[in-house]
Amino acid sequence: MTPVLSVKDMTVRFSTPEGPVSAVNGVSFDILKGECVGIVGESGSGKSQTFMAVMGLLASNGKATGSAKFKGDELVGMKRDKLNTIRGSKMTMIFQDPMTSLTPHLKISRQLTEVLVLHKGMSERDARAKALIMLDRVKIPDAKRRLDQYPHEFSGGMRQRVMIAMALICEPELLIADEPSTALDVTVQAQILELMQELRAQGNMSIVMITHDLGVVAGLCNRVMVMYAGEFCETASVDEIFHDPQHPYTRGLVGSIPRLDKPGEERLTAIRGQPPNLQHLPKGCTFQERCDYVFDRCIAERPKLLAFAEGRGKSCHLKGFDAKGEVLR
Ligand code: SF4
């Protein structure tokens, strides 16, 4: 199957007054049609910057190298006007803070219809009719009246729904959602995730869900890529990540989730220490300072992400862990 998005050896560097920061360090992956992939990791692991680079939205001090192809078209270095025909119509992104994407002084109707008029050549009238359908679809009550309101007249949860409507109105083939529900209260968060699940079930759209919350991933995704210090350390199906994690960092993440389904395992374990300084990454494994299983080779040699089973990969010098959780060296 041809991937919707194919990223090869992508790096992202930021120049800062303190020196260069390596935010993403040579990542490669594919996103296939119709799949929902969770990108998991702590803040600063590079998960958002990877996709900001794909979208051509890095801050002015950031530079991406490598390749990111959307259905065969190279995005890295693509001219802005051509990139704009893909962004916002075939490939869209929603952010944690809807106010960064909504223009405060423009009515919601204008913000929703503009993309249809510009990218799809629709008449204002048809675009407005479609905007109304989208607001209904994301469950904005009284959509007809709401269409002529300004962003500040909507609650945080409703603004997030409007942003999802904006992202979906052109029926994109790839939706990148960056912590779309984190800033919302728990009830609204659940509603937004339910909505994303419905939207996924309705179409062939591929979804990338960037999150630090494994609970979100469990409810929505079918594949997971775990990111640490600008690299992927484990990739697997959702089931495998939760029931048979093979990288020590993934095991730490899974161990830090409350397990109400397993009596006697309710105690949470925290991952000790802090992520490495991205300005001075160690020569060997970037997780070495926090890993309970570190040995000589980890300090001398950076492990590569290698396939070890069908659809699974990890970057660790250990053989793995057995079904009882015992380490295999
Ligand atoms: Fe731990 Fe070594 Fe594996 Fe890194 S390579 S995660 S330090 S065992």
Side-chain angles (χ1 to χ4, degrees):
M1 190 187 287
T2 316
V4 178
L5 180 70
S6 184
V7 173
K8 296 266 175 301
D9 204 20
M10 174 174 271
T11 63
V12 177
R13 301 268 180 280
F14 289 95
S15 44
T16 72
E18 291 77 37
V21 172
S22 308
V24 180
N25 297 307
V27 296
S28 300
F29 59 92
D30 288 340
I31 306 291
L32 304 179
K33 185 175 174 172
E35 70 172 346
C36 181
V37 180
I39 311 292
V40 181
E42 293 162 283
S43 302
S45 58
K47 51 195 194 310
S48 295
Q49 296 309 335
T50 301
F51 289 91
M52 292 297 262
V54 165
M55 293 291 284
L57 293 173
L58 286 177
S60 56
N61 64 336
K63 183 169 170 39
T65 59
S67 166
K69 288 186 176 166
F70 178 78
K71 298 181 76 184
D73 285 335
E74 182 57 71
L75 300 172
V76 177
M78 184 181 271
K79 288 215 161 51
R80 190 150 292 271
D81 50 350
K82 188 166 180 214
L83 189 56
N84 283 341
T85 63
I86 297 176
R87 257 186 341 207
S89 60
K90 296 176 185 157
M91 178 177 79
T92 56
M93 188 159 179
I94 51 179
F95 300 91
Q96 188 174 339
D97 176 8
M99 283 317 261
T100 57
S101 300
L102 296 173
T103 312
H105 63 277
L106 291 182
K107 284 182 181 173
I108 294 301
S109 54
R110 169 88 184 276
Q111 303 194 49
L112 282 165
T113 57
E114 199 166 42
V115 66
L116 294 175
V117 175
L118 282 178
H119 289 300
K120 301 267 177 185
M122 264 191 191
S123 68
E124 290 284 351
R125 191 193 160 100
D126 288 352
R128 192 178 160 89
K130 177 126 195 213
L132 202 54
I133 292 170
M134 278 316 297
L135 284 192
D136 266 341
R137 200 168 156 205
V138 297
K139 301 196 172 67
I140 301 267
D142 198 7
K144 206 166 179 180
R145 182 177 62 84
R146 290 298 214 157
L147 204 51
D148 289 313
Q149 290 186 326
Y150 292 91
H152 73 265
E153 295 176 83
F154 289 72
S155 67
M158 288 290 165
R159 280 201 287 263
Q160 194 61 291
R161 282 163 191 262
V162 169
M163 204 166 67
I164 294 174
M166 263 173 80
L168 296 176
I169 199 160
C170 277
E171 295 167 13
E173 289 165 73
L174 174 63
L175 173 72
I176 300 166
D178 190 356
E179 309 268 13
S181 57
T182 305
L184 306 171
D185 69 50
V186 187
T187 317
V188 183
Q189 200 174 57
Q191 288 169 355
I192 295 285
L193 292 176
E194 200 178 312
L195 171 66
M196 303 274 304
Q197 224 159 3
E198 268 178 47
L199 294 169
R200 188 189 154 215
Q202 281 167 18
N204 280 327
M205 180 174 68
S206 310
I207 300 179
V208 170
M209 174 64 71
I210 302 170
T211 182
H212 65 274
D213 186 344
L214 275 173
V216 167
V217 166
L220 195 67
C221 302
N222 44 330
R223 193 156 66 88
V224 188
M225 302 200 288
V226 183
M227 207 161 184
Y228 187 79
E231 291 168 357
F232 288 112
C233 61
E234 183 159 3
T235 65
S237 71
V238 168
D239 267 6
E240 288 157 347
I241 285 287
F242 281 95
H243 297 115
D244 181 32
Q246 288 293 316
H247 190 283
Y249 178 61
T250 318
R251 297 185 76 79
L253 283 183
V254 173
S256 64
I257 314 172
R259 296 300 300 258
L260 299 177
D261 59 325
K262 291 197 172 176
E265 290 184 30
E266 299 90 343
R267 272 190 60 190
L268 305 185
T269 50
I271 305 172
R272 64 182 165 80
Q274 298 294 325
N277 182 340
L278 296 175
Q279 284 179 290
H280 307 288
L281 286 173
K283 181 177 166 213
C285 176
T286 52
F287 191 59
Q288 59 181 272
E289 292 282 329
R290 307 172 79 183
C291 184
D292 292 337
Y293 310 97
V294 60
F295 61 109
D296 292 351
R297 190 177 170 197
C298 312
I299 292 154
E301 183 192 330
R302 176 92 51 95
K304 290 188 171 65
L305 181 69
L306 297 175
F308 65 92
E310 177 76 33
R312 301 197 65 176
K314 70 171 182 354
S315 62
C316 175
H317 294 312
L318 294 173
K319 276 198 192 124
F321 294 84
D322 68 15
K324 289 182 185 149
E326 297 295 329
V327 66
L328 305 166
R329 292 192 184 266

